[in-house]
Amino acid sequence: MFENVGTYLQMLADEKDISIDLLEEVISSTMILALKKKYGNDINFHINFDERHNPTIYRAVIVVENAEDEKKEISLEEAKKLDADINLGDEVLLLVDQVEEFGRIESTVARTTFFQKISELEKNIIYNEFKRREHQLVNGYFQRENRGNIYVNLGKTEGVLLKKDQSPREHYSVGDRIRAYIYRVENDRSGHPTIYLTRSKGDFIKKLFELEIPEIADGTIEIKNIVRQPGLKIKMSVVSNKPEVDPVGACIGQKGIRIQSIIKEIEGEKIDVVKWSKDIREYIAEAIAPAKPIRIIITEPENKEAMIIIPDEQLTLALGKNGYNVKLASQLTGYTFDLKTETDIKENPELLKDLVPLSQIFADTSEETGETEEITQENGELASNLYSLSGIDKEIIETLINNNINSIEELYRMSAEEIIEKTNLDKDTVDNIINTLKEVVTIVESDEEGYETTEEVVEEIEVYECPNCGSTITEDMTKCPKCGVELAFE
């Protein structure tokens, strides 16, 4: 009855890609289950397979003096006929007559159980295979569409590309090749594995870059973040782990040749590759591209809020189509943006809420004389840090800052009366401040012909800019005098 089982098992193993050993285990357990229904659960059976994978079935019985239960026992006299050296209590394996022992009921049970187990085995194999391939790219073919969801033929099974995981730019016909990203594999209520695919998530784009850009694949360039408005625009920030490698240039390639294959894969969708920076303001400036901001002010560090001041003519660039450029830049950096134009700030200086003096944002230029005036240090850089003024107590400088006098430029242009009125400092203290300014600062004036006049200069003190609010700081500070953020110089 089972002489052709081996041939069938080999065909099934090739078709289902299931190992022949697993199929032998299934056949063995199925036959034993069917035989126990006839002989009882307390009867032991042994099944052996030959080199052609055909099974031979044996029933185990115990040698007794006089057999009372022929299903489990054999008399010593009958056992001696099989083996002269056999003794009482030994176990004897009797060949099961495959044709007679398997009746219609047993055959039905065996067949039903076998196909159930093969189905479960196939499901487990598919689940385990695609679970291992989770978070990877996979290639398939358009098979069918149902209610906007696309079902992709993956060979052994099909994956589903939900409507939300598709790009509005893409349309398919039966047989079209589809490359997608496996983002989840799970069993449904019936135990059948469901493979969820996407072409809209940032992880899909990341895998495409890893496939096309060797420096990303080998870890030289790291993708920090990817955000996307499917069908419209992608923003991606990258950083190089080797100083000599330009991360943006490596991703784009000469004349954009490297990135073109990725753009082609996503049907021409625009990709902005920007350089990631530890300095959040530099990062925001890169993210808001192609607009070029005048100033970026971190207004609420804890809530991750920032004000971006841009030239009037670049407002459209900053916003982008339907506002998606600024939206994606916000998602990329994790900051909420308050976008202001140059005119907004000049007409409504109160928008700055005393965060940064206007003199630090816009140049103070005289249209009537064509001359500009700056206060500089010995090295020619703008000396806006009050702490660089030697001869003035730190407590007095803090009083000036607390009363919104944040730079040498502001202080120099104020009269003694204005300083007293704004700070309530006594006249002697204010006179000392003015005398100190006269001694240590220099005024650089440039006329239309480019001539300069100079006076004595401030002693050179290295100054920095607060990474939070932009105020000037020095190495001796442990916190910013303006916004109070903790500082550490390395």
Side-chain angles (χ1 to χ4, degrees):
M1 182 176 180
F2 300 113
E3 61 271 11
N4 295 321
V5 167
T7 302
Y8 174 74
L9 288 182
Q10 190 62 61
M11 292 173 58
L12 192 62
D14 295 339
E15 178 185 347
K16 302 291 186 181
D17 195 20
I18 301 174
S19 73
I20 197 73
D21 292 337
L22 279 176
L23 291 177
E24 286 182 355
E25 290 180 14
V26 174
I27 282 287
S28 179
S29 62
T30 299
M31 288 181 169
I32 290 174
L33 179 65
L35 289 168
K36 284 181 177 290
K37 284 191 174 293
K38 180 175 182 178
Y39 287 93
N41 291 328
D42 56 346
I43 306 299
N44 293 323
F45 293 92
H46 300 272
I47 299 179
N48 297 330
F49 290 86
D50 60 21
E51 66 277 2
R52 295 183 177 180
H53 310 294
N54 291 314
T56 303
I57 306 172
Y58 298 93
R59 175 165 55 92
V61 293
I62 302 299
V63 178
V64 295
E65 188 68 38
N66 297 303
E68 296 180 358
D69 187 346
E70 294 183 354
K71 293 181 180 180
K72 296 187 289 185
E73 299 172 342
I74 185 173
S75 67
L76 181 60
E77 181 182 353
E78 291 295 324
K80 289 288 186 181
K81 294 177 182 180
L82 301 174
D83 185 353
D85 296 329
I86 205 159
N87 298 310
L88 291 173
D90 290 346
E91 184 180 72
V92 176
L93 296 179
L94 301 180
L95 182 66
V96 174
D97 188 330
Q98 297 173 4
V99 176
E100 293 183 359
E101 299 294 344
F102 274 84
R104 181 180 62 82
I105 295 176
E106 289 75 23
S107 297
T108 301
V109 170
R111 184 170 58 252
T112 302
T113 304
F114 175 75
F115 285 111
Q116 285 178 347
K117 288 191 174 185
I118 289 298
S119 178
E120 292 174 2
L121 189 60
E122 187 178 12
K123 289 177 183 178
N124 288 335
I125 289 174
I126 291 173
Y127 175 84
N128 291 331
E129 177 183 341
F130 283 94
K131 192 67 177 177
R132 286 194 298 270
R133 297 172 68 183
E134 205 172 45
H135 310 305
Q136 295 180 10
L137 293 178
V138 65
N139 292 316
Y141 296 92
F142 182 96
Q143 184 165 291
R144 59 191 172 91
E145 183 177 353
N146 182 27
R147 297 180 180 179
N149 300 326
I150 293 175
Y151 292 86
V152 183
N153 185 347
L154 300 177
K156 298 176 183 179
T157 186
E158 63 180 20
V160 59
L161 195 61
L162 300 176
K163 191 173 182 179
K164 67 178 182 177
D165 293 315
Q166 303 169 32
S167 170
R169 287 175 177 260
E170 299 168 354
H171 305 280
Y172 303 100
S173 301
V174 175
D176 284 352
R177 171 189 163 278
I178 297 178
R179 175 185 285 172
Y181 175 84
I182 302 174
Y183 69 91
R184 189 168 78 248
V185 178
E186 62 183 23
N187 288 324
D188 59 20
R189 293 180 180 178
S190 64
H192 192 279
T194 303
I195 294 93
Y196 290 97
L197 309 174
T198 183
R199 282 182 59 87
S200 66
K201 297 184 185 298
D203 288 330
F204 171 64
I205 304 300
K206 182 178 181 180
K207 283 296 178 182
L208 290 179
F209 270 91
E210 289 177 358
L211 191 65
E212 298 292 339
I213 312 299
E215 290 86 350
I216 293 179
D218 65 20
T220 301
I221 295 174
E222 180 184 351
I223 297 176
K224 281 293 188 178
N225 196 13
I226 298 178
V227 292
R228 184 183 186 190
Q229 181 61 38
L232 187 61
K233 194 171 189 178
I234 296 165
K235 278 187 181 285
M236 181 177 80
S237 58
V238 293
V239 65
S240 175
N241 294 318
K242 294 182 179 179
E244 66 273 16
V245 178
D246 174 19
V248 176
C251 291
I252 295 175
Q254 189 174 12
K255 296 182 179 180
I257 192 171
R258 282 186 160 189
I259 205 172
Q260 283 307 312
S261 59
I262 299 172
I263 293 175
K264 184 179 179 181
E265 175 69 37
I266 57 179
E267 303 294 336
E269 187 172 324
K270 183 174 175 57
I271 304 176
D272 285 352
V273 182
V274 304
K275 188 176 181 180
W276 179 86
S277 174
K278 290 181 180 179
D279 187 327
I280 186 59
R281 286 179 297 164
E282 289 183 10
Y283 188 24
I284 291 173
E286 291 282 341
I288 201 69
K292 296 181 179 179
I294 297 171
R295 185 72 180 248
I296 295 169
I297 306 166
I298 307 302
T299 54
E300 292 287 344
E302 294 181 357
N303 298 325
K304 293 189 173 182
E305 297 177 3
M307 178 185 291
I308 303 177
I309 304 171
I310 59 169
D312 294 7
E313 66 276 9
Q314 293 193 22
L315 178 60
T316 303
L317 282 176
L319 291 173
K321 185 178 180 180
N322 298 325
Y324 281 118
N325 187 68
V326 68
K327 177 182 178 182
L328 291 175
S330 175
Q331 293 174 357
L332 189 71
T333 60
Y335 271 69
T336 302
F337 297 155
D338 183 10
L339 202 61
K340 300 297 181 184
T341 65
E342 186 175 359
T343 299
D344 290 336
I345 300 302
K346 286 183 176 179
E347 292 181 351
N348 302 285
E350 69 276 4
L351 290 173
L352 292 179
K353 300 176 182 177
D354 298 324
L355 293 171
V356 179
L358 281 176
S359 60
Q360 291 187 21
I361 297 177
F362 307 114
D364 184 11
T365 303
S366 173
E367 296 180 357
E368 296 179 357
T369 63
E371 298 178 348
T372 59
E373 182 180 279
E374 288 183 348
I375 299 174
T376 65
Q377 290 180 300
E378 185 177 343
N379 58 9
E381 295 179 354
L382 192 66
S384 59
N385 185 16
L386 292 174
Y387 285 93
S388 65
L389 293 172
S390 58
I392 300 179
D393 292 340
K394 187 176 180 180
E395 292 78 10
I396 295 174
I397 292 175
E398 289 177 353
T399 300
L400 294 172
I401 293 173
N402 290 335
N403 287 279
N404 297 319
I405 302 174
N406 298 295
S407 66
I408 295 175
E409 297 99 310
E410 288 180 273
L411 189 59
Y412 187 85
R413 294 186 178 96
M414 295 176 70
S415 66
E417 291 74 16
E418 289 175 328
I419 298 173
I420 293 172
E421 182 180 354
K422 196 163 187 178
T423 63
N424 289 325
L425 291 171
D426 60 74
K427 189 175 185 303
D428 291 341
T429 301
V430 172
D431 288 342
N432 179 57
I433 293 172
I434 293 174
N435 290 332
T436 301
L437 288 172
K438 289 178 180 180
E439 291 175 0
V440 299
V441 305
T442 184
I443 301 173
V444 178
E445 295 180 344
S446 300
D447 58 20
E448 292 179 347
E449 296 180 357
Y451 294 107
E452 294 183 353
T453 59
T454 61
E455 294 180 3
E456 192 176 351
V457 297
V458 177
E459 180 183 355
E460 182 175 358
I461 297 176
E462 191 167 3
V463 296
Y464 304 90
E465 195 174 56
C466 174
N468 179 42
C469 68
S471 297
T472 50
I473 55 176
T474 57
E475 290 187 355
D476 61 332
M477 297 181 186
T478 58
K479 63 171 60 178
C480 176
K482 178 64 179 175
C483 65
V485 69
E486 297 288 337
L487 301 173
F489 292 87
E490 297 181 357

